[in-house]
Amino acid sequence: MPRFGTAIAALTAVALSATMVACDSGSSADADGRVTLDYWLWDDQQLPAYQACADAFTQANPDVTVKITQTAWAQYWQNLTTNLAGGSAPDVWTDHASYYPQFVTSNQILDIQPYVDKDQVDVGQYQAGLADLFVKDGKRYGLPKDWDTMALVYNTKLVNDATGLDQLTWNPADGGTFEKAIAAATVDANGKNGLDPAFDRAHVKTYGFLPEWADGGQGQNGWGDLAVANGFTFLDKNPWGTHYNYDDPKLAETITWFKHLIDAGYAPKFDKQSTLSRDAVMDSGAGAFTIVGSWTIGTYLGTSAKQKYAFAPLPTGPAGRRTAINGLSDAIYAGTKHPDQAWAWVKFLGSADCQNLVGDKAVVFPAIKSGTDKALAAHRAAGRDVHVFTDEATAPGGTFFLPITDHGNEVSQVVQDAIQSVVLGQAPAADALKKANDQVNGLLQ
Amino acid sequence: MKRGWIVTTTEDRVAVTAPPALKTRPRDDRRVAWLFLAPVLIGFAVFYLYPTFRGVWYSLTDYSLLNTPSFVGVENYDKLIGDAQFWKSLRITAYYVVLNIASQTVLALGLAALMHRLTGSIMLRATLLLPWLVPNVTVALLWMWLLDTNLGLVNHLLAAAGLDTQGFLVSPTQALPTIAIINSWAYTGYTALLLYAGMLQIPVELYESAGLDGAGEWRMFRRITLPLLRPILALVLVVSLIGSFQIFDTVAVTEKVVPVGAGRVIYFYIYQQAFKYFHMGYASAVAMVLVVILGLLTLVQLRLLRASHSDLT
């Protein structure tokens, strides 16, 4: 039982301990000039690839050792924040486009533009647009390391006819051929599918589509991609826009269509959906289609998957086929004691030498094309067909970047709450989204 | 009335504990006393007193965790008055506290009375404590699995019994009651043991004579157990009231699946403002308001239950 004490104690104790442990930055240098850099990342699957990079880096720079710390995503940002507050952050950390604005605003990331200029790093070598995501007011806060796009994944046993899945169409009015494919894959307790007039929507055994409703203000795993394919744009400009467009009717139409999927029995009711991840529900065989990112390739095509899956491109909407593309970068801590060595490491991480090593492990798609080619080749050698992700990434006008602004976390919460209230039937889409839009734009003023 | 059962008043205590003998006591003893007290006092000062004052200071600044705090006066408190999310989180917390305290106290009282009148089994007492020994995060994860709509045991049983399956944590109306029930499950045994210990202090003769006079168990419970248990009951209620207000772990674990922030209690709101939105100053202001609310509630409760007076006087 919590102790009888002042309610503030727990909260401030955290702040206190953070300031008390604030003694020194993570890196260290001993007497003969040898330097150990602290480097953080969250993905355990990527750890071996980056350890290979670190070993190669130390071989080329014998005076610098890189110590990699991996922390799970759920704790990563909070650990980083606490360490930044305590002045003991790692010299270099893996950064995310949605999370880095807050660290830029609070002057925690080193501007590497002077280094880029001095060493003449070619920022055009990366997948188009990725390098610009980490630039604000002429200052550069990271070099791209990898990218991801979204696609449909389907259970090949539940979707027995794959013809035409690479050319699905979608619109918010009748759902196009995408909705037909979803309906055909939905099966009720009597074995009738969603296209059958006798389909019993109250007793569904297999859902045609599993939507993701805890998807922040971006809808990367579903509504965002379709809304953009419907002509929606998140922001007046990206990155660093100052006005969101969540009140756009094109977004409201998209959310309403998703709600229609639920009402028709093609997707689980919001207040009866599983608390487990969509990956787990797909693996239990209770869902036929869902939208996933290329970072889940290992989950669906790996050896531990309990069902057989294949990928298909996202459906083409009224404004074309559009996928969110997102990239990670490496950031240097503004308070590092070894900025030169940290830059050397970041430059190496952003080079073809390291990204080819990462590509060989086929865990992510590196930001440099040669690295992506290596990853594709490794996937092909292992019998995994993942070309839809790279095709979508290179299709002209086929991608959009996730919105990058200040107050990203707050915006996400407000918009997610609004969208959930719509799906629950608590409010019409247009009203809830208008209200949320006013609220988030209020934050940006 | 038997003297041994009179709770001494403050005046009595002063009279008893300020004996003239003090003058003859050598000073060394006091130094030793301070020495023994020092660890606690230092701990209290470093981990409670200092953070509290720092919290008051932060609540008057624009501290973001990553900047140098600068004084903004009562701006945070001003903002708080018009903050719909703050009021919503207070309402959710109040609802939770009512649900949790009601279910937990009634259940615990029943369990304690049964143990008191029927059995003294140590095994039983130990079993009751088991849920309380499981870390809260584990409890939350465990129940999330049990209550899952697709793969959970509870819904499986409901379906097997021909009943409708329930959303529990993913339903906006059921989420908070579900969290309250989960925590009642975890804490009822502990509360029951506290009450049981209180019941053991009630003289057995009272029950014996009441029995001779023909009083039944229910009557004895109402006329003997409840009134004489009042000081312990007051303590238990105060502790569980504050404990319920501080509900956090179960909410934090289930937050991702509970829709539209239906479980976003005040402590979660404070955490969110401080560590997710980087408004440490504002979060501190909310925490200060919570301190005041809890202080007032405790005072009212102690007054209502006349905690320092037993009915035995």
Side-chain angles (χ1 to χ4, degrees), chain B residues 111 115 122-134 185-194:
Chain B
L111 279 175
M115 278 197 292
I122 292 177
M123 275 292 285
L124 187 71
R125 270 179 270 162
T127 316
L128 271 182
L129 257 192
L130 277 181
W132 181 69
L133 294 174
V134 183
W185 176 82
Y187 284 113
T188 296
Y190 172 80
T191 313
L193 274 195
L194 286 183

Side-chain angles (χ1 to χ4, degrees), chain B residues 10-218:
Chain B
T10 320
E11 295 94 301
D12 288 342
R13 252 188 221 145
V14 169
V16 174
T17 55
L22 239 173
K23 286 178 198 155
T24 58
R25 198 176 284 168
R27 282 182 67 90
D28 292 7
D29 273 9
R30 278 202 259 181
R31 275 197 207 143
V32 173
W34 279 114
L35 204 66
F36 280 119
L37 281 173
V40 177
L41 286 178
I42 291 170
F44 179 76
V46 170
F47 292 110
Y48 284 85
L49 217 55
Y50 174 67
T52 307
F53 283 116
R54 229 177 132 101
V56 175
W57 159 241
Y58 284 157
S59 77
L60 301 170
T61 68
D62 64 350
Y63 189 38
S64 77
L65 270 184
L66 298 177
N67 67 350
T68 317
S70 47
F71 184 73
V72 294
V74 292
E75 199 179 279
N76 288 325
Y77 293 92
D78 240 15
K79 186 179 150 202
L80 193 142
I81 293 167
D83 180 359
Q85 286 300 318
F86 164 71
W87 294 107
K88 188 181 167 197
S89 70
L90 260 190
R91 274 199 304 276
I92 292 177
T93 312
Y95 180 41
Y96 169 81
V97 168
V98 170
L99 287 173
N100 186 51
I101 298 228
S103 60
Q104 185 178 307
T105 314
V106 170
L107 273 176
L109 205 54
L111 279 175
L114 286 178
M115 278 197 292
H116 181 216
R117 301 297 292 154
L118 293 178
T119 169
S121 160
I122 292 177
M123 275 292 285
L124 187 71
R125 270 179 270 162
T127 316
L128 271 182
L129 257 192
L130 277 181
W132 181 69
L133 294 174
V134 183
N136 283 346
V137 172
T138 317
V139 168
L141 287 172
L142 209 87
W143 279 99
M144 250 168 88
W145 274 90
L146 283 172
L147 298 174
D148 185 76
T149 32
N150 273 41
L151 310 168
L153 179 71
V154 176
N155 270 314
H156 182 75
L157 293 177
L158 284 177
L163 299 167
D164 271 350
T165 57
Q166 300 297 321
F168 296 114
L169 288 166
V170 293
S171 149
T173 47
Q174 295 175 1
L176 204 66
T178 305
I179 294 174
I181 289 169
I182 293 175
N183 281 324
S184 291
W185 176 82
Y187 284 113
T188 296
Y190 172 80
T191 313
L193 274 195
L194 286 183
L195 294 174
Y196 174 71
M199 289 177 185
L200 287 183
Q201 291 176 17
I202 301 171
V204 191
E205 306 93 71
L206 292 178
Y207 290 96
E208 284 168 358
S209 28
L212 285 177
D213 290 343
E217 282 295 334
W218 173 239

